[in-house]
Amino acid sequence: MKCPCGSEKNYSECCGVYHSGKALAPTAEALMRARYSAFAKNQMEYLQDTTDPQTLDQIDEEANREWAERAKFLKLEIVHAEEKGTKGTVEFKAYYNVDDEDFIHHEVSLFRKQAGEWFFKSGKIKAEKTK
């Protein structure tokens, strides 16, 4: 089965390695892809484990779970990714469908590396321009 993150690799050789705990995501972008795949596969524990402990209390885990259960994840597009030392930024678009209606979630996410491990810190949603 192909990985939901869009890498064209098999899930077990891509984000599945991170979800199983066999490896840590080596970059902020890899963690972003693994988190998208976790939403697609309803791996809520992985999402919690990879959220910065300093901002974990700001995440509505139940709302995330409900959304992940209802959504059909279609595609992940990485718009831009960069790292500077222990800080990373990933801008992405997540395409999904809920109740036969298509949506795009466009976000700029901030990541922090601590003791060799990347964590999601926060995200800012960007408005999509309508055509």
Side-chain angles (χ1 to χ4, degrees), residues 31 35 50-52 55 107 109-111 119-123:
L31 180 58
R35 288 175 61 84
T50 58
T51 298
D52 188 329
T55 59
E107 181 176 309
S109 291
L110 302 179
F111 295 83
F119 293 93
F120 168 77
K121 186 169 178 75
S122 65

Side-chain angles (χ1 to χ4, degrees), residues 35-104:
R35 288 175 61 84
Y36 172 86
S37 293
F39 272 109
K41 294 190 150 294
N42 207 357
Q43 299 273 341
M44 295 297 120
E45 188 174 327
Y46 182 79
L47 293 168
Q48 185 174 0
D49 291 346
T50 58
T51 298
D52 188 329
Q54 295 175 355
T55 59
L56 185 59
D57 63 341
Q58 298 170 21
I59 304 297
D60 187 341
E61 187 177 337
E62 188 57 35
N64 280 343
R65 181 182 313 281
E66 289 174 11
W67 177 65
E69 288 172 354
R70 292 184 59 223
K72 177 181 179 190
F73 294 86
L74 306 172
K75 176 176 88 167
L76 175 65
E77 174 188 344
I78 302 296
V79 176
H80 179 76
E82 69 178 69
E83 294 174 15
K84 291 182 180 177
T86 60
K87 296 181 180 180
T89 303
V90 180
E91 180 177 353
F92 68 94
K93 294 181 181 182
Y95 298 78
Y96 64 99
N97 181 287
V98 174
D99 299 329
D100 293 324
E101 190 173 352
D102 291 335
F103 296 92
I104 300 172

Side-chain angles (χ1 to χ4, degrees), residues 6-18:
S7 69
E8 297 299 318
K9 297 179 184 176
N10 286 328
Y11 169 74
S12 62
E13 299 167 351
C14 192
C15 293
V17 175
Y18 309 133

